[in-house]
Amino acid sequence: MSTSLTLVQGDITEQSVDAVVNAANSSLMGGGGVDGAIHRRGGPDILAECRDLRASRYGRGLATGAAVATTAGRLPARWVIHTVGPVWSATEDRSALLASCHRESLRVADELGARTVAFPAISTGVYGWPMGDAARIAVETVRDTETTVEEVRFVLFDEAAYEAFATQLRP
Ligand code: ADP
């Protein structure tokens, strides 16, 4: 069965899905943007699990392009999949790392048995990735990834982000 790609303009913390992807940073200790919103709304259980991950498998933090799951706490989801996007660079092509975030998040989602997964526009906030290019990489990567996830929902905060993703989905 093929995966359907859908778009919503809104807040990722309000999505009723199996898994929500967090645009985390390598510390896994929270931050601004999507990360801040997820911890604020999801409550302290998420951070507690992130602390455990730091104390066990991820003593040096989560690598850029990697992904790991925790509980979703009080969010209307079962899991949060934390992934660390690359900071955008004008001099170095880091696209492979941004693609890796999407591929690795789907791999973790498959391991969990998640059927519906919501993604934010990873790296397009404080990490500065141009929205149109991020949308192209996100959509191409999800389309090219073999996964048992049935719906990948991109949740875009504003109209410009929504339009950038809609452009990529148009045939
Ligand atoms: P990064 O550090 O990877 O750049 P950010 O969280 O700063 O991640 O931003 C990623 C994108 O998510 C930005 O386009 C931002 O506008 C958007 N965003 C911020 N908060 C939310 C939210 N609650 N739901 C969905 N998207 C959000």
Side-chain angles (χ1 to χ4, degrees):
M1 220 189 73
S2 66
T3 307
S4 68
L5 277 65
T6 59
L7 298 185
V8 170
Q9 190 183 328
D11 184 334
I12 197 156
T13 65
E14 291 173 4
Q15 306 300 311
S16 295
V17 284
D18 291 329
V20 167
V21 176
N22 181 18
N25 57 60
S26 68
S27 79
L28 291 175
M29 290 295 120
V34 171
D35 205 5
I38 282 177
H39 285 289
R40 221 167 20 248
R41 263 191 108 119
D45 290 359
I46 302 173
L47 197 59
E49 257 191 63
C50 286
R51 276 211 187 86
D52 291 345
L53 286 169
R54 280 302 302 271
S56 55
R57 273 190 295 163
Y58 298 100
R60 293 173 171 186
L62 186 64
T64 304
V68 66
T70 66
T71 175
R74 295 197 289 259
L75 294 178
R78 293 179 68 186
W79 302 285
V80 172
I81 299 173
H82 306 264
T83 189
V84 182
V87 175
W88 190 74
S89 164
T91 54
E92 189 190 355
D93 181 8
R94 299 177 179 164
S95 308
L97 288 168
L98 186 54
S100 176
C101 288
H102 294 83
R103 215 169 28 242
E104 285 300 301
S105 295
L106 289 174
R107 188 183 58 72
V108 170
D110 284 355
E111 280 175 11
L112 295 166
R115 296 197 169 158
T116 51
V117 179
F119 278 86
I122 299 165
S123 287
T124 64
V126 289
Y127 284 2
W129 208 288
M131 189 60 75
D133 198 50
R136 177 186 63 77
I137 293 165
V139 168
E140 279 180 8
T141 305
V142 170
R143 277 187 175 143
D144 290 349
T145 301
E146 196 64 50
T147 172
T148 51
V149 172
E150 291 166 10
E151 180 192 357
V152 167
R153 185 184 306 170
F154 290 106
V155 182
L156 295 322
F157 218 30
D158 59 27
E159 203 173 326
Y162 183 94
E163 269 313 308
F165 277 72
T167 300
Q168 294 301 320
L169 288 186
R170 267 176 215 124

